[in-house]
mmCIF file with all atom_site columns, all heavy atoms in Angstrom:
data_model
loop_
_atom_site.group_PDB
_atom_site.id
_atom_site.type_symbol
_atom_site.label_atom_id
_atom_site.label_alt_id
_atom_site.label_comp_id
_atom_site.label_asym_id
_atom_site.label_entity_id
_atom_site.label_seq_id
_atom_site.pdbx_PDB_ins_code
_atom_site.Cartn_x
_atom_site.Cartn_y
_atom_site.Cartn_z
_atom_site.occupancy
_atom_site.B_iso_or_equiv
_atom_site.pdbx_formal_charge
_atom_site.auth_seq_id
_atom_site.auth_comp_id
_atom_site.auth_asym_id
_atom_site.auth_atom_id
_atom_site.pdbx_PDB_model_num
ATOM 1   N N   . PRO A 1 271 ? 65.706 -40.537 76.437 1.00 88.00 ? 271 PRO A N   1
ATOM 2   C CA  . PRO A 1 271 ? 65.537 -39.289 77.189 1.00 88.00 ? 271 PRO A CA  1
ATOM 3   C C   . PRO A 1 271 ? 65.656 -39.546 78.697 1.00 88.00 ? 271 PRO A C   1
ATOM 4   O O   . PRO A 1 271 ? 65.776 -40.689 79.138 1.00 88.00 ? 271 PRO A O   1
ATOM 5   C CB  . PRO A 1 271 ? 64.114 -38.857 76.816 1.00 88.00 ? 271 PRO A CB  1
ATOM 6   C CG  . PRO A 1 271 ? 63.741 -39.655 75.613 1.00 88.00 ? 271 PRO A CG  1
ATOM 7   C CD  . PRO A 1 271 ? 64.503 -40.934 75.706 1.00 88.00 ? 271 PRO A CD  1
ATOM 8   N N   . SER A 1 272 ? 65.595 -38.471 79.468 1.00 90.00 ? 272 SER A N   1
ATOM 9   C CA  . SER A 1 272 ? 65.606 -38.613 80.929 1.00 90.00 ? 272 SER A CA  1
ATOM 10  C C   . SER A 1 272 ? 64.358 -39.376 81.375 1.00 90.00 ? 272 SER A C   1
ATOM 11  O O   . SER A 1 272 ? 63.358 -39.448 80.649 1.00 90.00 ? 272 SER A O   1
ATOM 12  C CB  . SER A 1 272 ? 65.638 -37.230 81.582 1.00 90.00 ? 272 SER A CB  1
ATOM 13  O OG  . SER A 1 272 ? 64.458 -36.505 81.265 1.00 90.00 ? 272 SER A OG  1
ATOM 14  N N   . TRP A 1 273 ? 64.412 -39.930 82.607 1.00 93.00 ? 273 TRP A N   1
ATOM 15  C CA  . TRP A 1 273 ? 63.305 -40.793 83.033 1.00 93.00 ? 273 TRP A CA  1
ATOM 16  C C   . TRP A 1 273 ? 61.957 -40.076 83.044 1.00 93.00 ? 273 TRP A C   1
ATOM 17  O O   . TRP A 1 273 ? 60.963 -40.655 82.567 1.00 93.00 ? 273 TRP A O   1
ATOM 18  C CB  . TRP A 1 273 ? 63.585 -41.408 84.413 1.00 93.00 ? 273 TRP A CB  1
ATOM 19  C CG  . TRP A 1 273 ? 62.577 -42.478 84.729 1.00 93.00 ? 273 TRP A CG  1
ATOM 20  C CD1 . TRP A 1 273 ? 62.631 -43.798 84.386 1.00 93.00 ? 273 TRP A CD1 1
ATOM 21  C CD2 . TRP A 1 273 ? 61.314 -42.300 85.390 1.00 93.00 ? 273 TRP A CD2 1
ATOM 22  N NE1 . TRP A 1 273 ? 61.491 -44.451 84.787 1.00 93.00 ? 273 TRP A NE1 1
ATOM 23  C CE2 . TRP A 1 273 ? 60.658 -43.546 85.406 1.00 93.00 ? 273 TRP A CE2 1
ATOM 24  C CE3 . TRP A 1 273 ? 60.670 -41.203 85.955 1.00 93.00 ? 273 TRP A CE3 1
ATOM 25  C CZ2 . TRP A 1 273 ? 59.412 -43.743 85.982 1.00 93.00 ? 273 TRP A CZ2 1
ATOM 26  C CZ3 . TRP A 1 273 ? 59.413 -41.380 86.525 1.00 93.00 ? 273 TRP A CZ3 1
ATOM 27  C CH2 . TRP A 1 273 ? 58.793 -42.636 86.542 1.00 93.00 ? 273 TRP A CH2 1
ATOM 28  N N   . PRO A 1 274 ? 61.829 -38.851 83.567 1.00 94.00 ? 274 PRO A N   1
ATOM 29  C CA  . PRO A 1 274 ? 60.512 -38.191 83.518 1.00 94.00 ? 274 PRO A CA  1
ATOM 30  C C   . PRO A 1 274 ? 59.959 -38.060 82.098 1.00 94.00 ? 274 PRO A C   1
ATOM 31  O O   . PRO A 1 274 ? 58.758 -38.203 81.875 1.00 94.00 ? 274 PRO A O   1
ATOM 32  C CB  . PRO A 1 274 ? 60.786 -36.816 84.146 1.00 94.00 ? 274 PRO A CB  1
ATOM 33  C CG  . PRO A 1 274 ? 61.962 -37.026 85.029 1.00 94.00 ? 274 PRO A CG  1
ATOM 34  C CD  . PRO A 1 274 ? 62.813 -38.022 84.286 1.00 94.00 ? 274 PRO A CD  1
ATOM 35  N N   . ARG A 1 275 ? 60.860 -37.821 81.132 1.00 94.00 ? 275 ARG A N   1
ATOM 36  C CA  . ARG A 1 275 ? 60.411 -37.715 79.749 1.00 94.00 ? 275 ARG A CA  1
ATOM 37  C C   . ARG A 1 275 ? 59.999 -39.080 79.199 1.00 94.00 ? 275 ARG A C   1
ATOM 38  O O   . ARG A 1 275 ? 59.041 -39.190 78.423 1.00 94.00 ? 275 ARG A O   1
ATOM 39  C CB  . ARG A 1 275 ? 61.507 -37.083 78.898 1.00 94.00 ? 275 ARG A CB  1
ATOM 40  C CG  . ARG A 1 275 ? 61.703 -35.605 79.206 1.00 94.00 ? 275 ARG A CG  1
ATOM 41  C CD  . ARG A 1 275 ? 62.930 -35.010 78.561 1.00 94.00 ? 275 ARG A CD  1
ATOM 42  N NE  . ARG A 1 275 ? 62.988 -33.562 78.756 1.00 94.00 ? 275 ARG A NE  1
ATOM 43  C CZ  . ARG A 1 275 ? 64.011 -32.808 78.426 1.00 94.00 ? 275 ARG A CZ  1
ATOM 44  N NH1 . ARG A 1 275 ? 65.092 -33.370 77.879 1.00 94.00 ? 275 ARG A NH1 1
ATOM 45  N NH2 . ARG A 1 275 ? 63.982 -31.495 78.630 1.00 94.00 ? 275 ARG A NH2 1
ATOM 46  N N   . LYS A 1 276 ? 60.731 -40.125 79.598 1.00 94.00 ? 276 LYS A N   1
ATOM 47  C CA  . LYS A 1 276 ? 60.326 -41.475 79.198 1.00 94.00 ? 276 LYS A CA  1
ATOM 48  C C   . LYS A 1 276 ? 58.952 -41.812 79.766 1.00 94.00 ? 276 LYS A C   1
ATOM 49  O O   . LYS A 1 276 ? 58.132 -42.455 79.104 1.00 94.00 ? 276 LYS A O   1
ATOM 50  C CB  . LYS A 1 276 ? 61.364 -42.505 79.678 1.00 94.00 ? 276 LYS A CB  1
ATOM 51  C CG  . LYS A 1 276 ? 62.666 -42.479 78.909 1.00 94.00 ? 276 LYS A CG  1
ATOM 52  C CD  . LYS A 1 276 ? 63.512 -43.717 79.161 1.00 94.00 ? 276 LYS A CD  1
ATOM 53  C CE  . LYS A 1 276 ? 64.019 -43.784 80.583 1.00 94.00 ? 276 LYS A CE  1
ATOM 54  N NZ  . LYS A 1 276 ? 64.928 -44.949 80.781 1.00 94.00 ? 276 LYS A NZ  1
ATOM 55  N N   . ALA A 1 277 ? 58.707 -41.384 81.009 1.00 95.00 ? 277 ALA A N   1
ATOM 56  C CA  . ALA A 1 277 ? 57.410 -41.645 81.635 1.00 95.00 ? 277 ALA A CA  1
ATOM 57  C C   . ALA A 1 277 ? 56.290 -40.955 80.860 1.00 95.00 ? 277 ALA A C   1
ATOM 58  O O   . ALA A 1 277 ? 55.210 -41.528 80.659 1.00 95.00 ? 277 ALA A O   1
ATOM 59  C CB  . ALA A 1 277 ? 57.429 -41.172 83.090 1.00 95.00 ? 277 ALA A CB  1
ATOM 60  N N   . LEU A 1 382 ? 61.119 -48.327 81.051 1.00 94.00 ? 382 LEU A N   1
ATOM 61  C CA  . LEU A 1 382 ? 60.719 -47.575 82.240 1.00 94.00 ? 382 LEU A CA  1
ATOM 62  C C   . LEU A 1 382 ? 61.497 -47.956 83.493 1.00 94.00 ? 382 LEU A C   1
ATOM 63  O O   . LEU A 1 382 ? 61.767 -47.102 84.348 1.00 94.00 ? 382 LEU A O   1
ATOM 64  C CB  . LEU A 1 382 ? 59.218 -47.776 82.501 1.00 94.00 ? 382 LEU A CB  1
ATOM 65  C CG  . LEU A 1 382 ? 58.257 -46.985 81.614 1.00 94.00 ? 382 LEU A CG  1
ATOM 66  C CD1 . LEU A 1 382 ? 56.814 -47.349 81.937 1.00 94.00 ? 382 LEU A CD1 1
ATOM 67  C CD2 . LEU A 1 382 ? 58.467 -45.483 81.781 1.00 94.00 ? 382 LEU A CD2 1
ATOM 68  N N   . ARG A 1 384 ? 64.587 -48.961 83.800 1.00 90.00 ? 384 ARG A N   1
ATOM 69  C CA  . ARG A 1 384 ? 65.953 -48.434 83.810 1.00 90.00 ? 384 ARG A CA  1
ATOM 70  C C   . ARG A 1 384 ? 65.927 -46.957 84.210 1.00 90.00 ? 384 ARG A C   1
ATOM 71  O O   . ARG A 1 384 ? 65.349 -46.117 83.539 1.00 90.00 ? 384 ARG A O   1
ATOM 72  C CB  . ARG A 1 384 ? 66.592 -48.579 82.429 1.00 90.00 ? 384 ARG A CB  1
ATOM 73  C CG  . ARG A 1 384 ? 68.047 -48.112 82.370 1.00 90.00 ? 384 ARG A CG  1
ATOM 74  C CD  . ARG A 1 384 ? 68.600 -48.247 80.961 1.00 90.00 ? 384 ARG A CD  1
ATOM 75  N NE  . ARG A 1 384 ? 69.963 -47.778 80.861 1.00 90.00 ? 384 ARG A NE  1
ATOM 76  C CZ  . ARG A 1 384 ? 71.049 -48.516 81.100 1.00 90.00 ? 384 ARG A CZ  1
ATOM 77  N NH1 . ARG A 1 384 ? 70.904 -49.778 81.461 1.00 90.00 ? 384 ARG A NH1 1
ATOM 78  N NH2 . ARG A 1 384 ? 72.250 -47.996 81.004 1.00 90.00 ? 384 ARG A NH2 1
ATOM 79  N N   . GLY A 1 385 ? 66.528 -46.637 85.317 1.00 90.00 ? 385 GLY A N   1
ATOM 80  C CA  . GLY A 1 385 ? 66.585 -45.258 85.796 1.00 90.00 ? 385 GLY A CA  1
ATOM 81  C C   . GLY A 1 385 ? 65.356 -44.802 86.556 1.00 90.00 ? 385 GLY A C   1
ATOM 82  O O   . GLY A 1 385 ? 65.239 -43.617 86.884 1.00 90.00 ? 385 GLY A O   1
ATOM 83  N N   . ALA A 1 386 ? 64.415 -45.726 86.835 1.00 93.00 ? 386 ALA A N   1
ATOM 84  C CA  . ALA A 1 386 ? 63.197 -45.343 87.559 1.00 93.00 ? 386 ALA A CA  1
ATOM 85  C C   . ALA A 1 386 ? 63.546 -44.909 88.980 1.00 93.00 ? 386 ALA A C   1
ATOM 86  O O   . ALA A 1 386 ? 64.428 -45.493 89.621 1.00 93.00 ? 386 ALA A O   1
ATOM 87  C CB  . ALA A 1 386 ? 62.219 -46.506 87.590 1.00 93.00 ? 386 ALA A CB  1
ATOM 88  N N   . PRO A 1 387 ? 62.868 -43.896 89.517 1.00 94.00 ? 387 PRO A N   1
ATOM 89  C CA  . PRO A 1 387 ? 63.115 -43.468 90.899 1.00 94.00 ? 387 PRO A CA  1
ATOM 90  C C   . PRO A 1 387 ? 62.930 -44.625 91.878 1.00 94.00 ? 387 PRO A C   1
ATOM 91  O O   . PRO A 1 387 ? 62.020 -45.441 91.711 1.00 94.00 ? 387 PRO A O   1
ATOM 92  C CB  . PRO A 1 387 ? 62.066 -42.380 91.123 1.00 94.00 ? 387 PRO A CB  1
ATOM 93  C CG  . PRO A 1 387 ? 61.750 -41.874 89.751 1.00 94.00 ? 387 PRO A CG  1
ATOM 94  C CD  . PRO A 1 387 ? 61.867 -43.059 88.844 1.00 94.00 ? 387 PRO A CD  1
ATOM 95  N N   . ILE A 1 390 ? 59.433 -45.609 93.559 1.00 95.00 ? 390 ILE A N   1
ATOM 96  C CA  . ILE A 1 390 ? 58.326 -46.243 92.827 1.00 95.00 ? 390 ILE A CA  1
ATOM 97  C C   . ILE A 1 390 ? 58.781 -47.467 92.039 1.00 95.00 ? 390 ILE A C   1
ATOM 98  O O   . ILE A 1 390 ? 57.958 -48.116 91.390 1.00 95.00 ? 390 ILE A O   1
ATOM 99  C CB  . ILE A 1 390 ? 57.636 -45.246 91.874 1.00 95.00 ? 390 ILE A CB  1
ATOM 100 C CG1 . ILE A 1 390 ? 58.575 -44.855 90.718 1.00 95.00 ? 390 ILE A CG1 1
ATOM 101 C CG2 . ILE A 1 390 ? 57.114 -44.035 92.601 1.00 95.00 ? 390 ILE A CG2 1
ATOM 102 C CD1 . ILE A 1 390 ? 57.855 -44.225 89.551 1.00 95.00 ? 390 ILE A CD1 1
ATOM 103 N N   . LEU A 1 426 ? 52.696 -43.181 87.106 1.00 95.00 ? 426 LEU A N   1
ATOM 104 C CA  . LEU A 1 426 ? 53.659 -42.397 86.336 1.00 95.00 ? 426 LEU A CA  1
ATOM 105 C C   . LEU A 1 426 ? 53.338 -40.902 86.411 1.00 95.00 ? 426 LEU A C   1
ATOM 106 O O   . LEU A 1 426 ? 54.233 -40.073 86.582 1.00 95.00 ? 426 LEU A O   1
ATOM 107 C CB  . LEU A 1 426 ? 53.665 -42.857 84.878 1.00 95.00 ? 426 LEU A CB  1
ATOM 108 C CG  . LEU A 1 426 ? 54.158 -44.283 84.611 1.00 95.00 ? 426 LEU A CG  1
ATOM 109 C CD1 . LEU A 1 426 ? 53.904 -44.680 83.169 1.00 95.00 ? 426 LEU A CD1 1
ATOM 110 C CD2 . LEU A 1 426 ? 55.636 -44.419 84.938 1.00 95.00 ? 426 LEU A CD2 1
ATOM 111 N N   . LYS A 1 429 ? 54.282 -39.087 89.598 1.00 91.00 ? 429 LYS A N   1
ATOM 112 C CA  . LYS A 1 429 ? 55.719 -38.899 89.753 1.00 91.00 ? 429 LYS A CA  1
ATOM 113 C C   . LYS A 1 429 ? 56.256 -37.738 88.918 1.00 91.00 ? 429 LYS A C   1
ATOM 114 O O   . LYS A 1 429 ? 57.243 -37.087 89.283 1.00 91.00 ? 429 LYS A O   1
ATOM 115 C CB  . LYS A 1 429 ? 56.480 -40.191 89.405 1.00 91.00 ? 429 LYS A CB  1
ATOM 116 C CG  . LYS A 1 429 ? 57.924 -40.201 89.856 1.00 91.00 ? 429 LYS A CG  1
ATOM 117 C CD  . LYS A 1 429 ? 58.027 -40.106 91.375 1.00 91.00 ? 429 LYS A CD  1
ATOM 118 C CE  . LYS A 1 429 ? 59.455 -39.955 91.853 1.00 91.00 ? 429 LYS A CE  1
ATOM 119 N NZ  . LYS A 1 429 ? 59.524 -39.717 93.305 1.00 91.00 ? 429 LYS A NZ  1
ATOM 120 N N   . ILE A 1 430 ? 55.623 -37.445 87.781 1.00 91.00 ? 430 ILE A N   1
ATOM 121 C CA  . ILE A 1 430 ? 56.174 -36.411 86.901 1.00 91.00 ? 430 ILE A CA  1
ATOM 122 C C   . ILE A 1 430 ? 55.321 -35.150 86.865 1.00 91.00 ? 430 ILE A C   1
ATOM 123 O O   . ILE A 1 430 ? 55.687 -34.175 86.224 1.00 91.00 ? 430 ILE A O   1
ATOM 124 C CB  . ILE A 1 430 ? 56.354 -36.940 85.458 1.00 91.00 ? 430 ILE A CB  1
ATOM 125 C CG1 . ILE A 1 430 ? 55.000 -37.235 84.800 1.00 91.00 ? 430 ILE A CG1 1
ATOM 126 C CG2 . ILE A 1 430 ? 57.264 -38.156 85.438 1.00 91.00 ? 430 ILE A CG2 1
ATOM 127 C CD1 . ILE A 1 430 ? 55.095 -37.489 83.325 1.00 91.00 ? 430 ILE A CD1 1
#
Side-chain angles (χ1 to χ4, degrees):
S272 63
W273 190 87
R275 290 170 173 172
K276 287 195 293 184
L382 283 177
R384 183 182 178 87
I390 68 163
L426 295 171
K429 194 63 186 174
I430 67 169

